[in-house]
Amino acid sequence: MRRSRFFLPTLRDNPKEAEIVSHRLMLRAGMVRQASAGIYSWLPMGFRVLKNIERIVREEQDRAGNQEVLMPTIQSADLWVQSGRYNDYGPEMLRIKDRHERDMLYGPTNEELITDIFAGAVKSYRDLPQKLYHIQWKFRDEVRPRFGVMRGREFLMKDAYSFDLDYEGARRAYQSHFVAYLRTFARMGLRAIPMEADTGPIGGDLSHEFIILAETGESEVFCDREFLDVDLLGRDIDYEDPAALAEVVDYFTKLYARTDEKHDPAAFEAAVPEARRYQGRGIEVGHIFYFGTKYSKPLGARVATPDGGETEVHMGSYGIGVSRLVGAIIEASHDEAGIVWPDEVAPFKVGLVNLKAGDADCDRACDEIYAGLQGAGVETLYDDTPERAGAKFATMDLIGLPWQLIVGPRELKNGVVELKRRATGERQELPLDAALERIAG
Ligand code: P5A
């Protein structure tokens, strides 16, 4: 993409309304624009990152054996009346009437709807287990939407739902999600720690939040510092092997990690030596629940059992805050000059900077490099504008692409380009071929 054609409304100054760094940087880097309180439009730069996060989430869901569906954003109130949550959910639920005066709502989550879909289709234990997910916009009329996309009213969530014959099966489903989440967040360059958590309006009796440590986080957390050093599963795992899944989950759940609602100071002191006790704040990027028959009972999700009887299925639900992750990744990865995108989620891999646009030699060289990168499938933002060098460098640092490839008259004369790695600030002059090799490697 040529910068001269790219819709990239950057801001030089910090917007007043933004309280935390990720919100400031997202507005300054032209990623989003507020439509109304807690509701955002995603501009090209932001949308590319959102799509990359969604892709990683989807790949890891598919790898874990979950099947993708797509449920609507607007739901009928009927199922929520049946489950008892229509009243319980309170003012956070956006309630709508259609032209026939029927009660509808903009879904804050999908337990009721998916249970109804399941109940209408599955009648026998032979068709179990099932794990379904979708990636869809949600609406929660939060009292205090803030921090940009981190606590929005409209936000993108990946929500998965599991259906099993009994507790044992449901526990395996829970464990496979636990492991899939470790992998998902590790691929985004994040250290997301699984912590024992409260279940809130979703309900149930087993729950973990996946939390990134950050001063600006809304949750207060307590954990063993061992979490700060261990490998949070950047490796492959066989989802068909329950023992392998259980081993990973056992390891992580033995270490103390709890949010403030579950924190027990005496247990913390007993479990963790003083030097390893960590207390701080964190951002919740995922939340998983086991809630047994809480929804299958009122919504009639029953299956025939092998002994000729009938039983309600055991369920869990598993959420990832896809749009929240865009902000959370920036909170975890930035410096004073701007965003530092981890490679896997970056909106472009390379920023190609033409230091003297309009100069025939520079233009020719840059056009060739740009065509070559595109041909090789390397996503590139080519700054072909006539702006001065200082401003171009500042923008490149602000938008945080992993590599900057800088080409000017002096470099060309010497037969080199300058390559900068955004994360380390390391700069190197080298022949073009060598630079392209480093980028590809
Ligand atoms: C699990 C999936 C649920 O809703 N039902 C379906 C369960 N869980 S949750 O914890 O309430 O939400 C899941 C994740 O969504 C993100 N999230 C938000 N992101 C941005 N703005 C919000 N207002 C918001 N509320 C929740 C969080 O990442 C949360 O972990």
Side-chain angles (χ1 to χ4, degrees):
M1 174 57 69
R2 284 177 185 266
R3 169 93 198 277
S4 57
R5 311 233 177 94
F6 193 46
F7 188 74
L8 181 63
T10 55
L11 303 175
R12 192 179 308 234
D13 298 316
N14 278 326
K16 285 187 301 295
E17 72 268 29
E19 295 170 68
I20 59 170
V21 67
S22 59
H23 191 194
R24 278 199 290 277
L25 289 173
M26 285 183 74
L27 293 172
R28 285 192 51 208
M31 295 176 64
V32 288
R33 191 181 152 88
Q34 185 174 309
S36 54
I39 304 179
Y40 289 85
S41 301
W42 292 79
L43 307 184
M45 188 65 103
F47 194 51
R48 293 177 77 98
V49 177
L50 188 69
K51 286 281 160 197
N52 284 340
I53 292 171
E54 199 181 310
R55 173 179 48 76
I56 295 172
V57 169
R58 177 175 287 115
E59 283 172 10
E60 293 303 325
Q61 289 291 295
D62 293 346
R63 197 193 299 272
N66 292 7
Q67 299 166 65
E68 187 167 12
V69 297
L70 184 59
M71 290 176 271
T73 54
I74 306 290
Q75 304 180 22
S76 153
D78 297 351
L79 296 171
W80 290 73
V81 172
Q82 273 184 53
S83 75
R85 281 208 292 184
Y86 193 58
N87 286 328
D88 293 356
Y89 227 94
E92 223 174 89
M93 180 184 275
L94 180 63
R95 294 153 206 263
I96 309 164
K97 273 201 197 295
D98 71 8
R99 67 200 300 164
H100 307 291
E101 293 291 306
R102 276 190 289 253
D103 290 318
M104 312 290 285
L105 56 98
Y106 195 121
T109 177
N110 285 62
E111 278 81 6
E112 283 78 359
L113 194 52
I114 196 93
T115 307
D116 186 57
I117 292 170
F118 176 90
V122 177
K123 304 289 178 201
S124 163
Y125 72 92
R126 287 193 194 84
D127 298 321
L128 292 178
Q130 286 292 344
K131 293 187 288 179
L132 303 171
Y133 78 99
H134 74 161
I135 300 177
Q136 178 62 291
W137 293 92
K138 306 285 186 285
F139 195 93
R140 294 182 185 173
D141 207 348
E142 303 272 353
V143 201
R144 218 149 82 81
R146 57 183 188 154
F147 301 160
V149 300
M150 296 257 266
R151 179 161 296 280
R153 293 199 295 165
E154 189 184 49
F155 59 97
L156 189 59
M157 190 200 288
K158 183 285 299 180
D159 37 328
Y161 304 87
S162 65
F163 304 87
D164 284 272
L165 187 59
D166 52 21
Y167 170 73
E168 270 313 301
R171 199 165 63 119
R172 275 198 294 280
Y174 189 88
Q175 292 184 338
S176 98
H177 282 91
F178 191 106
V179 168
Y181 278 28
L182 290 172
R183 279 187 53 91
T184 304
F185 298 126
R187 272 187 65 186
M188 294 173 194
L190 292 172
R191 182 167 288 281
I193 301 174
M195 304 206 180
E196 281 178 50
D198 225 22
T199 56
I202 307 295
D205 41 28
L206 175 59
S207 174
H208 284 89
E209 283 179 13
F210 287 73
I211 292 195
I212 298 170
L213 301 181
E215 279 315 303
T216 46
E218 293 187 289
S219 320
E220 189 169 17
V221 298
F222 303 82
C223 72
D224 192 324
R225 282 183 187 276
E226 191 167 331
F227 275 112
L228 309 185
D229 303 319
V230 289
D231 169 25
L232 285 172
L233 209 71
R235 62 183 164 84
D236 275 344
I237 185 124
D238 178 3
Y239 284 98
E240 298 299 317
D241 179 355
L245 296 178
E247 190 192 324
V248 173
V249 175
D250 285 349
Y251 171 71
F252 286 109
T253 49
K254 272 200 192 106
L255 292 174
Y256 191 99
R258 297 188 192 174
T259 59
D260 53 353
E261 298 106 350
K262 287 277 175 182
H263 178 56
D264 170 352
F268 191 36
E269 280 168 31
V272 190
E274 195 169 354
R276 283 208 334 241
R277 283 180 214 147
Y278 178 90
Q279 176 178 355
R281 304 196 71 79
I283 303 166
E284 176 201 328
V285 288
H287 199 163
I288 61 178
F289 304 81
Y290 163 72
F291 42 71
T293 58
K294 176 173 170 169
Y295 300 93
S296 56
K297 199 175 272 182
L299 294 164
R302 278 186 289 277
V303 293
T305 53
D307 60 10
E310 215 184 43
T311 187
E312 279 127 9
V313 292
H314 286 243
M315 292 177 57
S317 75
Y318 315 88
I320 289 182
V322 176
S323 50
R324 173 177 290 184
L325 272 164
V326 180
I329 292 171
I330 298 175
E331 288 295 325
S333 187
H334 68 271
D335 60 19
E336 55 297 337
I339 303 168
V340 181
W341 288 117
D343 291 71
E344 279 244 35
V345 299
F348 296 92
K349 189 167 189 187
V350 180
L352 172 62
V353 181
N354 183 345
L355 285 182
K356 203 167 180 199
D359 173 274
D361 289 339
C362 281
D363 288 353
R364 191 176 330 107
C366 284
D367 286 354
E368 267 174 37
I369 296 172
Y370 179 53
L373 286 164
Q374 279 194 309
V378 180
E379 290 181 313
T380 304
L381 182 65
Y382 169 22
D383 192 344
D384 58 343
T385 62
E387 254 187 318
R388 58 189 176 80
K392 289 192 175 192
F393 291 143
T395 301
M396 277 298 165
D397 281 352
L398 170 67
I399 64 178
L401 310 182
W403 297 98
Q404 296 172 18
L405 197 59
I406 299 149
V407 181
R410 189 183 55 80
E411 287 82 4
L412 281 184
K413 207 168 85 222
N414 299 335
V416 293
V417 293
E418 188 176 329
L419 183 66
K420 176 175 164 182
R421 180 76 175 149
R422 175 67 180 88
T424 58
E426 179 203 346
R427 290 160 169 271
Q428 220 183 339
E429 288 204 339
L430 66 184
L432 177 63
D433 287 353
L436 296 180
E437 228 166 79
R438 279 210 58 194
I439 291 170

